[in-house]
Amino acid sequence: MAATTVYKEPAPRVANTENPLESMMSRFNIAAEILGLDDTTYEVLKAPDKQVIVHLAVMMDDGKVDVFEGYRVVHNTILGPSKGGIRYDHNVSLDEVKALAAWMTWKCAVVDIPYGGAKGGIICDPTRMSVGELERLTRAYTVSMKDVFGPDRDIPAPDMGTGPREMAWIMDEYSKTVGQTASAVVTGKPLVMGGSLGRTEATGRGVMVSCLAALAKLGMQPEETSVAVQGFGNVGSWAAKLLFDKGLKVKGVSDISGAYWNENGINIDEAVAYKNAHNGRLEGFAGADPMDPNKLLTSKVDVIVPAAVEDVITEHNAHDIQARLIVEGANGPTSASADPIINQKGILVVPDILANSGGVTVSYFEWVQNKQGFKWSLDMVTDRADRIMNDAFEKVYATSQQYNIPMRIAAYVVAIDKVAQTYKYRGGY
Ligand code: NAD
């Protein structure tokens, strides 16, 4: 009989200085107070609708069976079926997934798309698993979530550690359980099986669109603006490339291998080509000099775009930030304890739930196309996504002016107000 082992978490990759759920709740509480949210709606929204914890027994290539813990948290579905990615990482925790699920509710409400919020995760290290092991894990997770997922119930998508390949497996396994091809059960699929044009670059594009909108408010010209981008994966590299195309000088970029600086501006097309040819890493890139990664976010630039991991701007480094504008590509890059410091310094922040919502917007377009059985052109996707991003930006900005509050809290106010109003109309307690 094959031996059974329980997967053990390696040491954390990044020290989380704060619990992400507490960070989210502290902003939610401020916005709820400003809105005068009634106690019932507050109680309903502060806890997720549903939390599912599963243990998945998966045969590894060496014949042993490992048991992985997986989660799916559905935070809220008052606006529509829940939507949210699935994260494969050794740092995944239920608290993190709960925070990310709530963020999805607020994100969908901010951009005004008819979805609720959810998130999933499996504690695993995908970099140390074979393709076969990952496929068996993904299929086991899908089977265990067959009563949670559904094209009109809960629609997963990629997140850290997952991509189109995993989405294809989920679509296939789910389709088998229901006995028909169910393309709309998942987004972020490969193009040939119902993925949308423009999805790959959608989050980075939304970061670029909201950055330009914020620069206009600050009276800054793109050609005279410098930027540093932390993270050079999907979000960071696309944001850097599209900002570079708009004439911004990208002086610094970083990834897990280190940080790289060029005072005259990095040629991002060359950096992307280098990364693609070197296993997704910038290490050894000759178009910039290595620098201390801890100094990237406090370097002398006009804009910083954290697009890697959570809690990288904290009370420890916020005082030293020199940028006038922060555009949050990552989810939760700023810990709640840094908020007052940033506000006091007068730095404008385009918060994560607004700045990185281009991804879920084009995911929504993918789902609409699957349901229509019709493919949109790239222009149609980008025009509509840009319009949604700009409308959401203007709404959040106007709310921040109206209440004299930071854009982060304004984004929560916009989102919570929409959800609370829907509860009022739907009633039914
Ligand atoms: P990714 O895995 O494609 O890229 C992550 C990048 O960050 C890599 O370049 C990696 O080397 C780098 N990195 C990791 N740890 C780092 C560190 N400590 N310092 C500097 N760089 C580091 O992931 P992604 O899809 O680009 O996601 C990045 C962030 O954006 C995450 O917070 C994710 O939740 C969020 N996000 C992604 C999407 C999307 O559509 N991909 C949508 C919304 C939000």
Side-chain angles (χ1 to χ4, degrees):
M1 200 178 87
T4 300
T5 53
V6 175
Y7 176 79
K8 299 239 173 23
E9 264 181 81
R13 183 190 49 191
V14 186
N16 266 350
T17 51
E18 282 193 40
N19 177 312
L21 190 60
E22 283 166 20
S23 233
M24 191 279 295
M25 280 310 296
S26 67
R27 279 84 173 240
F28 171 77
N29 287 342
I30 299 170
E33 188 83 29
I34 290 167
L35 276 172
L37 193 67
D38 64 280
D39 289 347
T40 308
T41 314
Y42 178 84
E43 288 301 318
V44 168
L45 292 178
K46 84 172 192 199
D49 286 357
K50 192 188 291 181
Q51 304 175 49
V52 182
I53 304 176
V54 291
H55 289 94
L56 308 162
V58 176
M59 175 78 75
M60 306 307 276
D61 291 347
D62 62 5
K64 289 190 188 135
V65 174
D66 277 4
V67 179
F68 297 85
E69 187 159 300
Y71 312 102
R72 185 73 182 169
V73 174
V74 174
H75 173 258
N76 193 275
T77 56
I78 195 78
L79 298 180
S82 51
K83 187 89 191 79
I86 297 168
R87 182 170 287 195
Y88 285 4
D89 191 79
H90 48 68
N91 281 324
V92 164
S93 69
L94 186 57
D95 267 0
E96 181 188 53
V97 177
K98 278 163 74 173
L100 290 164
W103 271 325
M104 287 306 298
T105 302
W106 314 136
K107 210 181 281 191
C108 294
V110 164
V111 283
D112 203 10
I113 56 179
Y115 281 147
K119 204 81 182 187
I122 302 178
I123 304 171
C124 66
D125 184 351
T127 63
R128 288 197 231 153
M129 294 172 70
S130 71
V131 174
E133 289 168 347
L134 285 168
E135 177 168 356
R136 292 192 288 280
L137 177 66
T138 305
R139 289 185 185 276
Y141 180 73
T142 308
V143 169
S144 71
M145 294 294 171
K146 70 177 190 345
D147 296 327
V148 180
F149 296 163
D152 293 306
R153 218 169 23 220
D154 179 38
I155 307 137
D159 192 70
M160 272 163 61
T162 60
R165 182 182 63 181
E166 286 73 19
M167 300 307 112
W169 292 329
I170 292 174
M171 186 277 220
D172 180 68
E173 197 63 37
Y174 180 85
S175 294
K176 283 178 189 157
T177 68
V178 295
Q180 61 186 47
T181 295
S183 301
V185 72
V186 66
T187 62
K189 296 179 293 291
L191 213 49
V192 289
M193 54 182 284
S196 179
L197 291 167
R199 175 62 188 91
T200 309
E201 62 270 40
T203 308
R205 187 173 176 88
V207 169
M208 177 273 286
V209 169
S210 49
C211 180
L212 293 191
L215 289 179
K217 298 291 180 202
L218 293 170
M220 293 162 71
Q221 300 303 321
E223 309 75 39
E224 291 159 19
T225 300
S226 58
V227 55
V229 181
Q230 182 187 56
F232 212 65
N234 174 280
V235 181
S237 68
W238 274 106
K241 149 99 184 121
L242 295 169
L243 289 169
F244 172 72
D245 287 349
K246 292 288 176 190
L248 281 87
K249 193 179 273 188
V250 186
K251 290 190 174 180
V253 293
S254 74
D255 67 5
I256 194 74
S257 74
Y260 308 89
W261 184 267
N262 184 336
E263 186 58 32
N264 299 319
I266 297 168
N267 182 322
I268 297 298
D269 289 330
E270 285 175 9
V272 169
Y274 184 89
K275 167 193 111 136
N276 291 340
H278 292 84
N279 222 3
R281 292 162 77 102
L282 285 166
E283 202 164 11
F285 174 57
D289 298 321
M291 72 175 284
D292 179 354
N294 295 321
K295 301 239 165 81
L296 186 79
L297 296 177
T298 54
S299 58
K300 191 152 179 42
V301 282
D302 302 308
V303 184
I304 52 174
V305 179
V309 290
E310 283 136 48
D311 287 328
V312 290
I313 299 173
T314 67
E315 75 268 38
H316 304 299
N317 63 356
H319 284 290
D320 300 326
I321 292 175
Q322 303 188 63
R324 290 179 66 189
L325 173 64
I326 302 174
V327 187
E328 296 184 337
N331 285 314
T334 306
S335 67
S337 59
D339 284 351
I341 304 165
I342 290 168
N343 298 337
Q344 197 252 328
K345 284 170 73 89
I347 300 169
L348 183 64
V349 179
V350 186
D352 46 10
I353 58 171
L354 172 60
N356 71 32
S357 58
V360 74
T361 301
V362 177
S363 272
Y364 164 60
F365 292 167
E366 178 177 334
W367 179 80
V368 172
Q369 291 171 74
N370 295 157
K371 288 199 151 250
Q372 287 179 329
F374 182 70
K375 250 181 163 3
W376 300 359
S377 68
L378 181 59
D379 281 351
M380 201 186 252
V381 170
T382 50
D383 288 353
R384 289 176 172 181
D386 290 358
R387 196 179 65 224
I388 285 179
M389 287 304 298
N390 276 314
D391 288 353
F393 181 94
E394 291 302 332
K395 187 160 190 187
V396 171
Y397 189 80
T399 304
S400 79
Q401 301 285 300
Q402 182 191 345
Y403 291 98
N404 194 21
I405 50 177
M407 279 189 79
R408 183 186 311 287
I409 302 300
Y412 278 83
V413 167
V414 167
I416 295 169
D417 190 39
K418 180 173 161 76
V419 172
Q421 281 198 45
T422 309
Y423 267 108
K424 231 170 240 151
Y425 282 115
R426 285 183 64 167
Y429 292 127

